[in-house]
Amino acid sequence: MLTSLYIKNYALIDELNVQFNNGLTIITGETGAGKSILLGGLSLVLGKRADLSQVKDNDEKCIIEASFDIANYNLRPLFSELDLDYEVQTIIRREILPSGKSRAFVNDTPATLESLTELSSYLIDIHSQHQTQQLIENDYQFRVIDALANTKENLELFSTKLLAYKALQKALQVLIESRAELIKEYDYNLFLMNELNEIKLESINLEDLEEQYEQLNNVEVIGEKLANAKAILSLEEQGVIDQLNTLKQELNKISGFGKAYEAIAERIASVHIELDDLLVELDDLEDVLSTDPQELERINSKLQIINNLFQKHSVSQIEDLISIKNDLESKVSDTEGLDDAIKEKENEISNLKNELDKIALEISKKRKAVLPTLTQKLEKVLSDLGMPNAKFKIELKEVDRFLPNGKDSLQFLFMANKGSSYNELKKSASGGELSRIMLAIKSILSEYIQLPSIMFDEIDTGVSGEISNKMGDIMKQMSSRMQVFSITHLPQIAAKGNSHFKVFKIDTDNTTQTQLKRLGEEERIVEIAQMLGGVDITESAMAHAKQLLN
């Protein structure tokens, strides 16, 4: 409930600080006294955008602060979701700076207007003739029925599964589109993959292959050079080995004359051994050397294929070709596996659709079950409000698609007078009738769910006499379950209040100020008497006022 409201430097208000109680609070005042200013200030803490023109003194900041007791509202999850500090006594504060910028705070935590708007919808409902237009909106009509039908848990489950259902549908569409794209490339990717698989890249050592090619391609030159090398080493008398042998013999003769000669002789002997080994290796290389045109052609062809693949794929390493091959295998596999993935996704969608159908059916059953009660209650309240012939026909029909709140279409059909035909509310109900219907609906809703504090802003316009008395009774009954405010010009309604405030203007120092005052018992009698008979209060008006209050 709204426990207090503080307004400073707003419109015609210098400073205002007022405390509110539970029950039915009445606000009265002459036309132009500033009731709309009061509502405008309250609207700012409810998330309305600020306007510098609303500031009374542009050199000072404007402050509007409202305190709410939310102990029974179960709003901890919402505060957490909005990243706001939860307090049982929650304070919402708006400031409009001289620069024109505005700031919002919830329990001293900075808040966005979006957060403020969402939070405030759970705290107070300012009901004006303009808001009555909600009644003709399908979403609001569903909220009324669902409140009576107690479908909250069903709707939450339906909403969760509907989100999952839509996500699956989106994922399926992505798979289908991916398959269409991959199919276009499938044949080409398969060709490239097979081409790379055919050459067995993992078994290729490019360096060895190139060496084999060079050897086979130059076998005659290699043979010639090997023969020349052998001749240089082994030619009799002129060969390196023969000459080295003679050198060794000469040095051996002096090796005993000193360590230096012995070392030289040993080194010559070592070289002699190494050259003998080299000669043996040259013999071996010459023995295995052979021409093999077919092998040469095979290796040359393989190298040509590899070089062509390097060029085709713009790489220069076997490892790069292997990576490309693996990627192609993945794409081909993905294409071949998409049919299974699509079928699996379709099965998931089908199963979830069946679940949604069951939940939607349960929601529909609950809704249909409360329609007679809602219709009966509405017609009863409207009869009390001077519309004895008002009749409702609420039609609920199943549609073949999922809506955000089930699978029902809804029509509120209304007939105001006997002999007329049922028609949509927006076509068959006047503005005054819509106001009474909305009051009836709010009163019925308050029996089923915890509504926020509600402020009726001259909902009684165009109403008088006994009807206004009934309207006041309805507000009084509602106030036993919730906090109700009524801005009214009717004394019959004003007399029903638990507390009564008066909005008025005063002129001081060439300025006009709007003020709000809680009326005492005697002041209240005078105010109601003035509402009955005007400024000049008669004894009969005073007596009538006392009678209404009693």
Side-chain angles (χ1 to χ4, degrees), residues 390-407:
K391 297 293 179 184
F392 275 92
K393 183 188 291 183
I394 304 175
E395 295 183 345
L396 202 66
K397 296 179 181 178
E398 183 180 354
V399 297
D400 60 355
R401 66 187 185 282
F402 292 125
L403 302 172
N405 61 351
K407 293 184 71 175

Side-chain angles (χ1 to χ4, degrees), residues 122-159:
Y122 293 89
L123 302 179
I124 190 164
D125 173 13
I126 297 179
H127 178 80
S128 61
Q129 288 189 351
H130 171 71
Q131 193 218 31
T132 301
Q133 295 303 308
Q134 278 189 335
L135 185 56
I136 64 177
E137 296 172 3
N138 205 235
D139 286 346
Y140 186 82
Q141 294 170 358
F142 266 117
R143 288 201 296 272
V144 172
I145 292 174
D146 286 325
L148 271 67
N150 192 25
T151 59
K152 181 180 178 182
E153 290 185 4
N154 304 90
L155 287 169
E156 287 175 351
L157 180 60
F158 182 86
S159 178

